[in-house]
């Protein structure tokens, strides 16, 4: 089964960048092998990229509990609109409901479930990715615990936390930062709180600010790409435009009713550049057209937006290591033998 392509907001990762600077690690050094635009806080990267960033920082700083240490220093601004909605709620229960609703704005966890019992409340999730990514997960958990304590005080202390990754050799920092028993190698992530914590008042509730920030959070949530639908639509728009090159990002973005910058951000979150996506669409169409014996190579080059057949042949050899004619002969042979 294909893993989910979860994403993380760059603004959320700024908690790590801020921590790295404070501990003498240059951001350029940290990002050297994981290039993305750290200045664009609204951009998103894949969860795997965010996890790799944490793992690299842990290695460079020699800190095996880095995720926990970054999480305990998280601030409302790192959560963006979600953080300001939560901190302006009246009670912790309302803040946790906001967390469940808007969590995807900072990191896609595959859906957070909130269950209330007579004596306990649980938040649980299973990201469904190639992880578990320990450092990133510990950052997220420690941030949740620290932010909840900052808003509601000692009443927000968890009863227990379950995690999906294996137990590390040293768990002393887990006990100190999380302040509760931790069970490792579990089927999902789960934070269990006492039911009484729901009624814990927050330090500075502001209903007007909460309403304002909730409108912003709702707007941002609607703007998030859903699944791969937008990517399929982008591919279709590129395919339609290949016959009349050049294929431009602005035109494709306009057809998708998003800004060019928003489209670039979505592609970045998938680990793609626009030119790569155009190249992928061309290759897919090239193989489809080559399977049609009625089309000669000149026709196919035209359909793919190449002014000359030689340009198409060079591109196809770069994609596949073989020429269009050789690929067609091999493909037709396999089909005839099937």
């Amino acid at each position: 089964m294909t893993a989910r392509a979860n994403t993380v907001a760059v603004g959320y990762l700024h908690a790590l960048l801020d921590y790295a600077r404070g501990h003498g690690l240059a951001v350029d050094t940290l990002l050297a092998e994981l290039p993305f635009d750290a200045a664009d806080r609204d951009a998103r990267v894949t969860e795997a990229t965010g996890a790799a960033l944490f793992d690299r920082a842990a290695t460079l700083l020699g800190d095996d509990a880095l995720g926990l240490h970054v999480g305990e220093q998280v601030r409302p601004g790192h959560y963006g609109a979600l953080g300001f909605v939560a901190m302006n709620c009246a009670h912790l229960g309302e803040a946790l409901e906001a967390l469940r609703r808007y969590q995807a704005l900072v990191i896609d966890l595959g859906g957070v479930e909130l269950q209330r019992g007579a004596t306990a409340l649980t938040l649980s999730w299973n990201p469904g990715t190639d992880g578990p990514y320990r450092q990133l997960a510990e950052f997220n958990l420690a941030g949740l615990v620290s932010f909840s304590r900052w808003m509601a005080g000692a009443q927000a202390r968890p009863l227990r936390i379950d995690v999906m990754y294996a137990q590390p050799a040293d768990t002393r920092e887990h006990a100190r930062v999380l302040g509760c028993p931790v069970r490792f190698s579990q089927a999902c992530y789960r934070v269990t709180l006492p039911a009484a914590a729901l009624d814990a008042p927050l330090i500075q509730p502001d209903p007007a600010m909460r309403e304002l920030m909730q409108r912003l959070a709702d707007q941002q949530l609607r703007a998030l790409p859903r699944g791969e639908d937008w990517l399929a639509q982008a591919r279709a728009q590129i395919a339609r435009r290949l016959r009349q090159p050049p294929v431009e990002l602005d035109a494709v973005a306009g057809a998708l009713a998003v800004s060019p910058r928003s489209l670039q951000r979505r592609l970045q979150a998938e680990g793609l550049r626009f030119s790569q996506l155009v190249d992928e669409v061309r290759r897919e169409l090239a193989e489809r057209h080559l399977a049609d014996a009625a089309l000669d190579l000149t026709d196919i080059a035209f359909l793919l937006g190449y002014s000359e057949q030689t340009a198409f042949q060079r591109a196809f050899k770069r994609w596949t290591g073989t020429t269009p004619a050789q690929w067609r002969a091999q493909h037709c042979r396999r089909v005839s033998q099937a």
Side-chain angles (χ1 to χ4, degrees), residues 268-287:
Q268 180 183 352
E270 297 292 328
L272 288 170
R273 298 187 305 275
F274 183 72
S275 59
Q276 284 180 281
L277 187 61
V278 173
D279 223 29
E280 287 183 7
V281 172
R282 273 190 165 133
R283 175 176 178 169
E284 291 168 6
L285 288 176
E287 293 182 355

Side-chain angles (χ1 to χ4, degrees), residues 258-307:
V258 299
S259 70
R261 189 170 185 181
S262 292
L263 180 56
Q264 285 178 319
R265 287 171 178 160
R266 293 184 180 187
L267 290 170
Q268 180 183 352
E270 297 292 328
L272 288 170
R273 298 187 305 275
F274 183 72
S275 59
Q276 284 180 281
L277 187 61
V278 173
D279 223 29
E280 287 183 7
V281 172
R282 273 190 165 133
R283 175 176 178 169
E284 291 168 6
L285 288 176
E287 293 182 355
R288 189 182 309 171
H289 292 328
L290 285 169
D292 183 352
L295 294 173
D296 63 29
L297 298 185
T298 302
D299 293 332
I300 295 173
F302 170 75
L303 292 172
L304 297 178
Y306 292 104
S307 58

